Amino acid sequence: MKLTLSSSPHQRVRRDTSQVMRLVILAMIPGIMAQVIIFGFGVLIQATIAVITAVITEAAILQIRGRSAKFALNDFSAVLTALLLAVSIPPLLPWWMTILGTFFAIAVVKQLYGGLGFNLFNPAMAGYVMLLISFPAAMTLWLPPQSLASIQPDFVNVLTIIMTGFTESGHSMDQLRMAADGITMATPLDSVKTALSQNYTYPEALDEAIFTNNLNASAGAGWAWVSLAYLVGGLFLVKINVINWHIPTAMLAAAALLSAVFYIADSDSFASPIFHLLNGSLLFGAFFIATDPVTASTTDKGRLVFGAFIGMWVIVIRTFGGYPDAVAFAVIVMNMAVPLIDYYTRPRTYGHTAKRARKP
Amino acid sequence: MLRSTDEIIADLKAGKCHSFTGGVHPPDEKSLSNTTNIQTLPLPDKIILPLRQHIGTEGSICVAEGEHVKKGQALTKSSHPYAVPIHASTSGIVREITRHVVAHPSGLSEDCIIIEPDGLDEWVKLTPIPHFQTLPQQTVVEAICDAGVAGMGGAGFPTHIKTGNNKTIEFLIINGAECEPYITSDDRLMQEHAWQIRQGIDVLHHLISPTAVVIAIEDNKPDAIKALKIACQDKPEYLVVAVETKYPAGGEKQLIQMLTQREVPRHGLPADVGVLMFNVGTCFAVAGAIYEGKPLVERVVTVTGRAVEQPGNYWARLGTPVSHLLNHATYQVKKQSAPQIVMGGPMMGFTLSSMAVPIVKISNCLLAPAKGEASLNEHERACIRCGACADVCPASLLPQQIFWHAKAKELDKAQAYDLFDCIECGACAYVCPSEIPLVHYYRQAKAEIRLEKEEKSRAEKAKERFEARNARLIREKQEREERHQKAKAAREAAIANKSKAATVDSNDAKDKVAAALARAKAKKAAQQPESDVPAALDTQADKKAQVAAAIARAKAKKEAAQANDTNEILPEDERKAKVAAAVARAKAKKEAAQTNDTNEITTEDERKAKVAAAVARAKAKKEAAQANDTNEISAEDERKAKVAAAVARAKAKKEAAQANDTNEISAEDEGKAKVAAAVARAKAKKQQAAESSSSDGPADANNLISKNVDFSSAEEQSHHDDEKRKRIAAAVAKAKAKQAAKKDNNETE
Amino acid sequence: MSVYLALGAIGTLALIFGLILGYASIRFKVQSDPLVQQLDELLPQTQCGQCGYPGCRPYAEAIANGDDINKCPPGGEATMKKLADLMGVEPKPLNGDGEEEDVKKVAFIREDECIGCTKCIQACPVDAILGASKQMHTVIIDECTGCDLCVEPCPVDCIDMVPLKPTTNSWKWNFKQSPKGDIPIKMVS
């Protein structure tokens, strides 16, 4: 008989990586449900396509790399990446684009950098950005919320349009985007951006069908609910300690603060902080994207800096940049800065007094 | 900035306690073992006392195998300040002093004294000093040291070193936090022996005279807090403080931070911030040492875990094998598919590789986890940089960065992230979702760095030695040249003198030159000048004879050296023989024993040798003796060595005589043949020896070189070869002797 | 005229910059160990001569003069990498077997076979062998660098290079090095 040898500690918390990933997935459910209710079944189909692609890609690449695919797939990180990508893309995106984006996220961004824990960039966001740059038209074709849409495609129609580009009855994507009054609908961010660039004032820009709801004057119909649903999931994650409060708080606070500064300076040409928070993917990004542990900063101070910079970038790009939303870009940009942030935000070690002489 | 003492005391009195960064809350599982009283154990079959049970150096053994010792008798003593003596934990006989597996994670062996108890458990005469207040401090500190008290909280730092501190101490902190899950030994000790702990605190208070004494206990031990409050109620300066239950609150640095908000500086000691800390178990041991005179021979050990049926606390004698304790707690070893014994707590303890490991001063707990109770490091995944480890690190390190560098063997970078400030508490690995055994990586990296440093200092030393050696060689060369110069000068002077005297013809001068040359040659060969040659040269014939003799000697030496290439002929020296006799090993004994066999014929040989000596030239004798002596491997004692030498010399003489008497050519042939044969056999032997020793020979240089006793096994293996080897050696020697003698004869006849 | 002006201007500029550079080179002169010194410090100081030079310092000098960095088997992979780092060249595989396991060895004299010839004493570059002529020799393990140099000269081949067994002090938390408890556990009662 042999006594087993192992290194201390001999006790561990029961929460392992795969459980962390599953909890994040769980926390996404309210948001996904809100998306399904408001924008139809598209997101579910996209999620299915993305998850299948991600799992197959991950397994295949791990096989090639000679690692245990079963062991690695167990951690659910690929599934999570696929879901994050699936909820970010337009629900009726052609199927092959979803596959391409997911494949890029898993194969190139994650596995080519060495797999889980080694990727420099957030895979979901990198995949999203790749799609956005490659297919800008398709990637910005969002459906109007079903309450405002003239045509509300059912599950089968959604499936056929993702697969073929047309519904069973031959409606094209453009026709689907028509609102009840027959005008194509843009996303709230898009419509405000367009309006402001056409020298409308911000209050005038809000005078659109998309902003008709009973929540807040600045909240896009349906869009705000999706954001709030993700906020609920995110707060749940903070509550159960899966993510730290630092990044979301810093990110939202910085975004709110910067947009407030602009708004106070000129409330006609700049959108209000509430508009920025409730529209687009800021809330979703703050809790689910920027908090991705692999690509975020690891020190508490660093997390604050990291989050704050993302929030600022989002507002800057939304306000002055060419794209209506910017969470993906902001995250990617700040991912690059993480080593630097980590380096300069090292906590003071117990018993050390002065700042140590830093060695490269 | 340090907070003032008064502020801190006021805070502590108000029950205000701070916290430290990080920390975890593992399930404490203390109720498994803290409900029953501390039980005593029957005597084990044997007691294994490792010489080193604490941090520092081991003392030298002052008992011998077979000696009867009494309980409490010191087994080691030392003058080294960091050495702490060990004591017999029961009366009995010292059975063995040997290497035995000890309480170390490596499962390697160290020197131990093994005692077989006689069952009487009889104490040695004790000398308590209850009136310690009247004694000089030095005496009290010495008494603590002599009682073998070392920190009982886990680190085992010698207590007398701490008490001997001469810095101003504001806070004497008594650590009863016991933050590790499962362990309850301090808890039970405080509940049952609060008064003796209090006595120990009195002693320490007397020695250190701090401003305040703080007894810190985690708030999950209300009974212990109550017991100590009662024990200390007459001493207002003794503050019993309940601290937050958070692992690792019992860590020295963390507890100091909680109580005083001071941080021990990086390379400093707690005394640098006016704090000294002792474990409650140490206080108990100090009280025992001073009030009763009892040295540290037993301690409380928690035996716990779900694999034991009767978890609880036991008074275990130091040196009790773990198996004995587990057996008494009814360890269900058969029910375990992968049995595991942890010494210490689940967070910082280490697994044992053998149940024969003895309990030592620092062993506070034995944990026998049932299946699923302890985690094995089997499912390590990639680090996802979640930073959970950094959140819980009590030293505010960045564990994942250190891990990254440690794993990549970038040791300097790991050090730049303050690897050595890690206290190995295990909080990071506890929370790691990827189940990375982080602490294990840190330990490996630390060991690696430590060894690298040692390696570096060794290299430094080797370089020094190398340079010293080179310098010495150069110096020796110079000296030799100088000597030659002097000899040359002297010779020239002599020639000049002689030619001035004009009474000597040119032949004479030539002879002298030849003589000088011969001398030089002889010197070169012998590496030592022959002083007896030049003395007085009376007649020409004599001179010629001397020259011839000198040349002959030189040649003979060269020949002898060539004939036996395994030996270098250097002049015999009586003193060296004596030194050799002292140094000689078991092999030498055997050699001597063999030569003793021939003792019976010694007298006869001696006579024969004398006869032979008359025939052989005086110098030949000397050469022969020398040649033969190279073979002689010095005896264990002087007498044997001398006998052996005599026998060998006699043999050589006999051989020489024979060689003289019989045909010279045949003798030479025979000699050459023997040499050749011997060389051939020796070569065969070499190969054989090399093969055998490389496969099953000495495998462990440490054991074999440092300990003679370990040497015997290797020797036994080659025992059967000895006979043959000796014969070869004898043959070679004989041949050499003959040849040398013959040469000498040739030259002189 | 403008040609001279241009020449003069450029000449003046050159002079000024030259002065600045000259000053800077004095002012910011980096005091560092000479290269040979640094190289020598990286070498393991076994003085074994396996590099083909009589000792570590001569090899350090040779490296400084452009010799290969992969000639030091005792230093192993680690030393070679450090040398490569310092010299700014690509790491090369080690000369020789290349499959040297990284186990420290020391010389061990089988004392019952030693004939006391002192040949190994003369060969030892660090004076780590103790003994006198015709007396048994022994190795001071603490001083032995494991250089191998004493093995060859021994006429009776009684010197082995024995790997050092880990002690509790030199143990590197490698459980594979631990003796496993494969003996049935005897319960003492």
Side-chain angles (χ1 to χ4, degrees), chain B residues 106-107 110 327 440 443-444 448 450 458 463 465 469 472 566 570 580 585 587 686 693 698 702 718, chain C residues 40 108 110-112 115 122 124 126-127 133-135 144 155 164 168-169 171-173 178-179 188:
Chain B
S106 65
E110 279 188 359
N327 205 34
H440 189 62
R443 285 180 179 137
Q444 281 181 329
E448 200 83 43
R450 218 185 47 240
R458 276 174 63 109
K463 195 171 156 190
R465 289 178 77 88
R469 179 187 141 93
R472 196 194 72 222
T566 61
L570 291 172
R585 298 280 153 107
K587 160 71 172 125
K686 256 189 247 169
S693 64
N702 293 340
S718 57
Chain C
D40 194 29
F108 168 69
R110 290 196 299 276
E111 295 173 354
D112 55 339
I115 54 168
Q122 290 160 30
C124 181
V126 291
D127 282 345
S133 80
K134 281 171 276 169
Q135 316 301 341
C144 178
L164 270 179
T168 47
N169 282 330
W171 189 62
K172 293 198 228 171
W173 281 90
S178 299
V188 190

Side-chain angles (χ1 to χ4, degrees), chain C residues 129-166:
Chain C
I129 301 179
L130 191 73
S133 80
K134 281 171 276 169
Q135 316 301 341
M136 179 270 300
H137 303 339
T138 196
V139 178
I140 312 169
I141 26 173
D142 280 350
E143 307 292 353
C144 178
T145 60
C147 69
D148 254 18
L149 290 183
C150 53
V151 174
E152 188 52 40
C154 180
V156 292
D157 281 349
C158 73
I159 304 181
D160 293 317
M161 297 308 290
V162 181
L164 270 179
K165 205 177 172 185

Side-chain angles (χ1 to χ4, degrees), chain B residues 386-400:
Chain B
C386 63
C389 45
D391 295 342
V392 298
C393 181
S396 305
L397 298 170
L398 294 177
Q400 87 277 16

Side-chain angles (χ1 to χ4, degrees), chain B residues 43-46 52 99 102 104-110 321 323-324 326-328 331 333 339 350-351 353-355 424 440 443-444 447-448 450-452 454-456 458-463 465-470 472 565-573 576-577 579-581 583-585 587 626 629-634 686-687 689-690 693-694 698-706 708 711 714-715 718 722 725, chain C residues 36-38 40-48 54-58 74 78 82 85 102 104-130 132-146 149 153-175 177-183 185-189:
Chain B
L43 271 174
D45 283 350
K46 63 174 179 179
R52 196 173 59 167
R99 292 176 86 79
V102 292
H104 189 273
S106 65
L108 296 169
S109 300
E110 279 188 359
S323 53
H324 184 69
L326 287 173
N327 205 34
H328 276 271
Y331 176 43
V333 69
F350 53 88
T351 51
S353 57
S354 158
M355 297 255 239
E424 298 179 16
H440 189 62
R443 285 180 179 137
Q444 281 181 329
E448 200 83 43
R450 218 185 47 240
L451 290 173
E452 211 167 74
E454 268 170 35
E455 202 60 39
K456 189 128 201 178
R458 276 174 63 109
E460 211 59 27
K461 211 162 64 173
K463 195 171 156 190
R465 289 178 77 88
F466 178 64
E467 277 158 10
R469 179 187 141 93
N470 281 351
R472 196 194 72 222
D565 64 342
T566 61
N567 284 311
E568 192 173 66
I569 313 296
L570 291 172
E572 173 65 294
D573 185 326
K576 277 184 184 169
V579 173
V583 188
R585 298 280 153 107
K587 160 71 172 125
Q626 277 176 12
D629 276 352
T630 55
N631 169 50
E632 178 225 316
I633 295 167
S634 3
K686 256 189 247 169
Q687 226 149 10
S693 64
S694 60
D700 178 5
N702 293 340
N703 284 347
L704 287 166
I705 295 176
S706 60
N708 292 348
F711 185 55
E715 198 195 315
S718 57
D722 278 357
R725 194 186 310 117
Chain C
V36 174
Q37 190 79 34
Q38 288 181 40
D40 194 29
E41 261 159 34
L42 290 179
L43 293 171
Q45 304 300 334
T46 51
Q47 319 292 356
C48 66
C56 290
R57 197 174 170 90
K82 281 182 198 156
D85 230 28
D102 196 21
K104 191 173 160 40
K105 290 182 170 178
V106 289
F108 168 69
I109 297 178
R110 290 196 299 276
E111 295 173 354
D112 55 339
E113 286 169 45
C114 174
I115 54 168
C117 68
T118 75
K119 285 212 163 68
C120 52
I121 297 181
Q122 290 160 30
C124 181
V126 291
D127 282 345
I129 301 179
L130 191 73
S133 80
K134 281 171 276 169
Q135 316 301 341
M136 179 270 300
H137 303 339
T138 196
V139 178
I140 312 169
I141 26 173
D142 280 350
E143 307 292 353
C144 178
T145 60
L149 290 183
C154 180
V156 292
D157 281 349
C158 73
I159 304 181
D160 293 317
M161 297 308 290
V162 181
L164 270 179
K165 205 177 172 185
T167 62
T168 47
N169 282 330
S170 72
W171 189 62
K172 293 198 228 171
W173 281 90
N174 183 356
F175 285 122
Q177 284 177 345
S178 299
K180 283 264 163 67
D182 46 6
I183 308 154
I185 292 164
K186 187 185 154 213
M187 299 297 265
V188 190
S189 56

Side-chain angles (χ1 to χ4, degrees), chain B residues 199-528:
Chain B
Q199 285 181 316
I201 300 172
D202 285 343
V203 176
L204 295 171
H205 186 263
H206 169 70
L207 288 176
I208 295 156
S209 40
T211 321
V213 176
V214 186
I215 301 154
I217 304 168
E218 271 192 348
D219 54 17
N220 63 354
K221 290 182 262 297
D223 294 338
I225 296 173
K226 215 192 311 175
L228 273 171
K229 273 196 170 149
I230 292 167
C232 302
Q233 56 194 350
D234 59 325
K235 287 270 196 176
E237 71 268 36
Y238 289 10
L239 306 170
V240 181
V241 178
V243 298
E244 183 193 356
T245 301
K246 178 161 90 167
Y247 181 84
E252 188 175 59
K253 292 174 168 179
Q254 279 63 45
L255 193 54
I256 292 172
Q257 197 178 14
M258 284 175 109
L259 295 172
T260 67
Q261 286 191 292
R262 294 178 181 176
E263 287 185 13
V264 181
R266 187 177 190 190
H267 297 295
L269 292 169
D272 296 339
V273 288
V275 177
L276 266 192
M277 188 180 289
F278 293 93
N279 181 264
V280 286
T282 315
C283 297
F284 182 83
V286 167
I290 300 299
Y291 284 90
E292 297 173 72
K294 282 184 184 172
L296 180 56
V297 291
E298 60 179 1
R299 68 158 298 142
V300 185
V301 178
T302 307
V303 183
T304 185
R306 296 189 198 282
V308 290
E309 281 191 346
Q310 292 161 345
N313 286 286
Y314 296 87
W315 280 111
R317 282 161 222 278
L318 301 183
T320 308
V322 163
S323 53
H324 184 69
L325 266 165
L326 287 173
N327 205 34
H328 276 271
T330 20
Y331 176 43
Q332 298 296 316
V333 69
K334 291 213 171 67
K335 287 188 189 164
Q336 309 303 319
S337 54
Q340 191 180 23
I341 308 293
V342 179
M343 186 174 268
M347 297 299 280
M348 289 184 77
F350 53 88
T351 51
L352 298 181
S353 57
S354 158
M355 297 255 239
V357 168
I359 295 293
V360 293
K361 290 172 186 173
I362 58 166
S363 325
N364 48 6
C365 178
L366 286 177
L367 172 62
K371 190 168 187 281
E373 199 177 355
S375 78
L376 301 171
N377 303 312
E378 281 168 345
H379 305 293
E380 183 180 340
R381 290 171 184 275
C383 170
I384 56 166
R385 290 170 40 92
C386 63
C389 45
D391 295 342
V392 298
C393 181
S396 305
L397 298 170
L398 294 177
Q400 87 277 16
Q401 299 288 355
I402 303 177
F403 155 71
W404 221 258
H405 295 309
K407 197 175 180 182
K409 301 264 179 246
E410 295 165 336
L411 299 178
D412 44 343
K413 282 186 188 155
Q415 276 188 95
Y417 275 96
D418 300 329
L419 172 63
F420 278 92
D421 285 281
C422 169
I423 57 168
E424 298 179 16
C425 68
C428 48
Y430 174 76
V431 296
C432 180
S434 297
E435 300 190 21
I436 301 169
L438 291 157
V439 183
H440 189 62
Y441 283 102
Y442 306 153
R443 285 180 179 137
Q444 281 181 329
K446 281 180 177 178
E448 200 83 43
I449 292 167
R450 218 185 47 240
L451 290 173
E452 211 167 74
K453 269 186 196 149
E454 268 170 35
E455 202 60 39
K456 189 128 201 178
S457 73
R458 276 174 63 109
E460 211 59 27
K461 211 162 64 173
K463 195 171 156 190
E464 257 169 48
R465 289 178 77 88
F466 178 64
E467 277 158 10
R469 179 187 141 93
N470 281 351
R472 196 194 72 222
L473 290 179
I474 291 167
R475 201 177 57 237
E476 277 174 0
K477 199 179 165 195
Q478 275 173 349
E479 277 168 8
R480 210 161 42 239
E481 270 166 13
E482 249 168 56
R483 251 199 333 268
H484 288 171
Q485 288 291 328
K486 269 186 196 162
K488 199 180 167 192
R491 197 170 64 233
E492 275 165 2
I495 292 167
N497 281 341
K498 290 277 174 179
S499 51
K500 260 181 200 167
T503 53
V504 190
D505 62 4
S506 57
N507 270 350
D508 214 19
K510 269 182 194 166
D511 280 350
K512 271 181 191 160
V513 173
L517 278 174
R519 242 178 287 141
K521 264 188 189 172
K523 269 185 209 168
K524 227 180 220 171
Q527 291 192 346
Q528 186 183 305

